[in-house]
């Protein structure tokens, strides 16, 4: 049993980090994210024949075996929950008999491990340190540690000190450990909320540089995940990095590839074809796996589609409120497994352009993308908070006469995003005022209703336009309110929370 618990440490696939809530604090528990896998090699266990494997509840986690007598157990998370995985078989054991003779015998073998499948959490990070290296992790001003840190594997990492504002850890030996605790977060409305926070600490072999034996890092600077390739080819380590040729007295360091870009894996490519709209269904994302192994990727909310020319708007991927749901919303923030030498297309991706002062992107007709997919930038979190606030608002209280609820909510969201971005963006003179927003919405209405308005008598048309303008004023007022609640700007240009 201890052998199985010890070797369940290799994660397979490309993933955005998933974290346990309370599960990770329990030693001996294997934590797997929904849609992700963990692999354990039994290469040194001499089974007499292929062992039997079983998951008590396959609806929570499935198991498979790669190889024959010596092979690997693979556990894949299906849905949130807890189950037990067992491995049963017979192993060859060499014993010392009478007269110091070695006797080969076969003995029953059974091991089990508790598997917890969890969903990803917002406040989840990853830290990588060397053995004997210390790392101090400082929380932002809006965060405070509310409960003591629970450590799932004290043999791998120790928490040497912890205060409300920072924790300090030290690598003990190669391995992984989950640090879990409650964190007090100051919300935009000034209220405080306790949320589960998690740090996956990976301790790697080797020595840090002399000036890096004790490092300090901010919470926001920690990694958001890890890139790992399934069954790497010869000459590559499990992170898809070339294995260096060892030289004399060199340390056996292990390369770790982190999500500094997206998808950040050689042989995995992402392209985007714009629809021509700057809100709602913004286009199609194609993810190509040009390797000879399956890979799993996740498109995170806030994914930045970065334009390569200043004249073309940047876009963000996010499930914004729309009149008609976008088909690609179901694929956002979900694991997507792509077969070797295959592609996956997310059609009708939901998203928005935050730059209201620019024209919408032109629809691409030749399949040539002018965008680069990047991980969420420093603005993404604030913009996503604005979307969440719009989704919670009660549209019915505005008592609109013309615009239906879904349309009105979409207009409030679009206006809020333009206004919020203009306040937190470093671009000068791009403030998107209420007057601009009123004019933009009314222009959009007259353009869409042009034929109907032209057929109306002048007096009726004036009445209709008056009612529409009244509705738009209420919608803009709601956008103003949410913008002010989401963010404001100081004299120095820094974003402040209120």
């Amino acid at each position: 049993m201890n052998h199985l618990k010890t070797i369940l440490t290799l994660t397979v696939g490309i993933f955005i980090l998933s974290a346990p809530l309370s599960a990770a604090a329990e030693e001996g528990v294997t934590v797997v994210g929904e849609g992700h896998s963990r692999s354990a090699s039994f290469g040194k266990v001499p089974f007499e024949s292929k062992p039997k494997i079983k998951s008590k509840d396959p609806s929570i986690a499935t198991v498979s075996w790669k190889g024959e007598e010596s092979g690997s157990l693979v556990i894949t998370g299906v849905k949130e929950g807890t189950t037990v995985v067992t491995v049963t078989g017979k192993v060859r054991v060499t014993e010392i008999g009478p007269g110091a003779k070695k006797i080969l015998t076969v003995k029953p073998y059974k091991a089990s491990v508790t598997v917890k499948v969890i969903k990803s959490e917002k406040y989840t990070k990853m830290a990588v340190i060397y053995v004997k290296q210390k790392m101090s992790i400082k929380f932002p001003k809006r965060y405070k540690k509310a409960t003591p840190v629970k450590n799932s594997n004290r043999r791998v990492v120790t928490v040497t000190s912890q205060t409300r504002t920072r924790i300090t850890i030290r690598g003990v030996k190669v391995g992984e450990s989950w640090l879990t605790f409650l964190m007090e977060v100051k919300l935009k409305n000034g209220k405080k909320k306790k949320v589960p926070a998690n740090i996956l600490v990976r301790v790697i072999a080797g020595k840090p540089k002399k000036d890096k034996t004790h490092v300090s890092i901010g919470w926001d600077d920690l990694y958001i995940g890890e890139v790992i390739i399934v069954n790497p080819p010869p000459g590559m380590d499990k992170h898809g990095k070339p294995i260096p040729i060892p030289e004399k007295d060199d340390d056996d360091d292990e390369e770790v590839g982190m999500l500094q870009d997206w998808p950040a894996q050689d042989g995995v490519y992402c392209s985007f074809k714009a629809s021509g709209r700057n809100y709602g269904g913004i286009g199609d994302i194609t993810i190509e796996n040009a390797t000879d192994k399956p890979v799993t990727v996740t498109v995170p909310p806030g994914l930045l589609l970065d334009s390569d020319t200043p004249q073309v708007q940047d876009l963000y991927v996010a499930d914004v409120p729309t009149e008609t749901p976008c088909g690609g919303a179901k694929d956002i923030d979900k694991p997507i497994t792509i077969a070797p030498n295959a592609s996956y297309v997310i059609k009708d991706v939901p998203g928005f352009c935050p730059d209201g002062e620019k024209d919408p992107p032109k629809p691409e007709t030749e399949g040539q993308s002018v965008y680069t997919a990047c991980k969420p930038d420093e603005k993404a979190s604030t913009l996503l908070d604005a979307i969440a606030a719009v989704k919670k608002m009660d549209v019915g209280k505005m008592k609109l006469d013309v615009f239906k609820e879904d349309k009105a909510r979409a207009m409030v969201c679009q206006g809020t995003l333009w206004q919020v971005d203009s306040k937190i963006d470093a671009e000068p003179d791009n403030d998107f005022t209420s007057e601009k927003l009123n004019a933009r919405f009314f222009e959009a209405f007259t353009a869409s209703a042009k034929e109907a308005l032209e057929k109306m008598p002048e007096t009726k048309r004036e009445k209709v336009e008056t009612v529409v303008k009244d509705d738009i004023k209420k919608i803009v007022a709601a956008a103003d309110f949410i913008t002010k609640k989401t963010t404001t700007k100081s004299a120095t240009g820094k974003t402040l929370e209120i």
Side-chain angles (χ1 to χ4, degrees), residues 128-197:
V128 180
I129 59 175
Y130 291 98
V131 174
K132 296 184 180 180
Q133 185 182 31
K134 281 188 176 182
M135 176 182 285
S136 293
I137 302 170
K138 186 178 180 181
F139 303 123
K141 290 183 179 180
R142 62 188 185 279
Y143 296 167
K144 293 290 186 295
K145 185 176 68 66
T147 61
V149 175
K150 294 182 180 179
N151 186 355
S152 70
N153 198 339
R154 293 180 178 84
R155 295 189 297 271
V156 169
V157 65
T158 58
V159 180
T160 60
S161 67
Q162 51 181 302
T163 66
R164 290 264 289 169
T165 59
R166 73 170 63 220
I167 61 174
T168 301
I169 58 178
R170 180 179 183 273
V172 178
K173 71 174 186 177
V174 175
E176 290 181 350
S177 181
W178 281 101
L179 305 181
T180 62
F181 52 97
L182 289 181
M183 187 158 57
E184 185 180 87
V185 178
K186 186 177 180 181
L187 303 178
K188 305 294 175 63
N189 58 8
K191 294 183 179 180
K192 296 178 181 179
K193 178 182 179 181
K194 290 184 179 179
V195 298

Side-chain angles (χ1 to χ4, degrees), residues 419-436:
Q419 290 185 319
V420 169
D421 183 80
S422 73
K423 292 182 180 298
I424 64 177
D425 205 341
E427 292 291 328
D429 302 322
N430 75 330
D431 190 27
F432 208 84
T433 64
S434 301
E435 291 75 17
K436 285 184 180 180

Side-chain angles (χ1 to χ4, degrees), residues 379 382 418-432 483-498:
K379 296 194 300 182
T382 304
W418 284 338
Q419 290 185 319
V420 169
D421 183 80
S422 73
K423 292 182 180 298
I424 64 177
D425 205 341
E427 292 291 328
D429 302 322
N430 75 330
D431 190 27
F432 208 84
T483 298
K484 291 175 183 177
K485 287 292 183 180
T486 302
T487 183
T488 188
K489 209 174 184 185
S490 70
T492 59
K494 293 183 179 179
T495 301
L496 300 175
E497 295 176 335
I498 58 174

Side-chain angles (χ1 to χ4, degrees), residues 237-259:
D237 67 16
K238 68 176 183 285
H239 305 280
K241 300 282 187 179
I243 298 175
I245 300 174
E247 297 181 7
K248 189 175 181 179
D249 298 327
D250 271 5
D251 293 321
D252 184 21
D253 290 350
E254 184 181 37
E255 291 285 343
V256 179
M258 295 297 164
L259 282 175

Side-chain angles (χ1 to χ4, degrees), residues 442-456 461 464-465:
F442 187 70
E443 288 171 7
F445 165 75
T446 54
S448 64
K450 183 179 179 180
E451 290 187 14
L453 291 172
E454 288 177 347
K455 294 178 182 179
M456 292 181 185
R461 175 173 178 167
V464 170
E465 290 180 346

Side-chain angles (χ1 to χ4, degrees), residues 243-496:
I243 298 175
I245 300 174
E247 297 181 7
K248 189 175 181 179
D249 298 327
D250 271 5
D251 293 321
D252 184 21
D253 290 350
E254 184 181 37
E255 291 285 343
V256 179
M258 295 297 164
L259 282 175
Q260 296 303 303
D261 296 303
W262 191 92
Q265 174 66 52
D266 290 340
V268 181
Y269 308 103
C270 182
S271 61
F272 174 72
K273 185 177 181 181
S275 66
R277 293 188 292 273
N278 61 358
Y279 184 89
I282 57 174
D284 302 336
I285 288 179
T286 299
I287 307 167
E288 179 186 1
N289 175 19
T291 72
D292 60 354
K293 305 296 179 185
V295 296
T296 301
V297 299
T298 302
V299 178
L303 178 76
L304 171 63
L305 300 167
D306 188 23
S307 169
D308 63 353
T309 59
Q311 293 76 23
V312 180
Q313 293 178 331
D314 294 337
L315 297 163
Y316 288 87
V317 173
D319 188 10
V320 292
T322 55
E323 291 182 88
T324 304
C326 296
K330 67 180 186 305
D331 288 324
I332 305 304
D333 206 24
K334 299 291 190 301
I336 302 168
T337 300
I338 308 172
N341 299 304
S343 298
Y344 187 91
V345 180
I346 306 177
K347 288 188 172 294
D348 195 24
V349 174
F352 64 93
C353 170
D355 302 311
E357 73 278 7
K358 295 183 180 181
D359 292 329
K362 293 181 180 180
E364 297 168 347
T365 56
E366 299 179 359
Q368 300 298 319
S369 177
V370 294
Y371 291 92
T372 300
C374 306
K375 71 174 184 178
D377 63 5
E378 65 279 0
K379 296 194 300 182
S381 177
T382 304
L383 294 169
L384 292 174
D385 286 344
I387 295 171
V390 173
K391 288 183 175 180
K392 292 179 181 178
M393 68 174 289
D394 186 352
V395 177
K397 288 185 176 180
M398 289 194 287
K399 297 181 179 179
L400 303 175
D401 295 313
V402 178
F403 296 102
K404 294 183 178 180
E405 183 170 323
D406 289 342
K407 176 65 175 178
R409 191 183 300 277
M411 292 171 68
V412 172
C413 188
Q414 188 171 47
T416 300
L417 292 168
W418 284 338
Q419 290 185 319
V420 169
D421 183 80
S422 73
K423 292 182 180 298
I424 64 177
D425 205 341
E427 292 291 328
D429 302 322
N430 75 330
D431 190 27
F432 208 84
T433 64
S434 301
E435 291 75 17
K436 285 184 180 180
L437 193 53
N438 270 290
R440 178 69 64 87
F441 283 155
F442 187 70
E443 288 171 7
F445 165 75
T446 54
S448 64
K450 183 179 179 180
E451 290 187 14
L453 291 172
E454 288 177 347
K455 294 178 182 179
M456 292 181 185
E458 187 175 346
T459 54
K460 184 176 181 181
R461 175 173 178 167
E462 289 176 352
K463 289 180 180 179
V464 170
E465 290 180 346
T466 299
V467 174
V468 170
K469 286 179 179 179
D470 288 342
D471 272 8
I472 290 176
K473 285 181 181 179
K474 295 176 183 178
I475 289 171
V476 172
D480 287 341
F481 177 78
I482 294 176
T483 298
K484 291 175 183 177
K485 287 292 183 180
T486 302
T487 183
T488 188
K489 209 174 184 185
S490 70
T492 59
K494 293 183 179 179
T495 301
L496 300 175

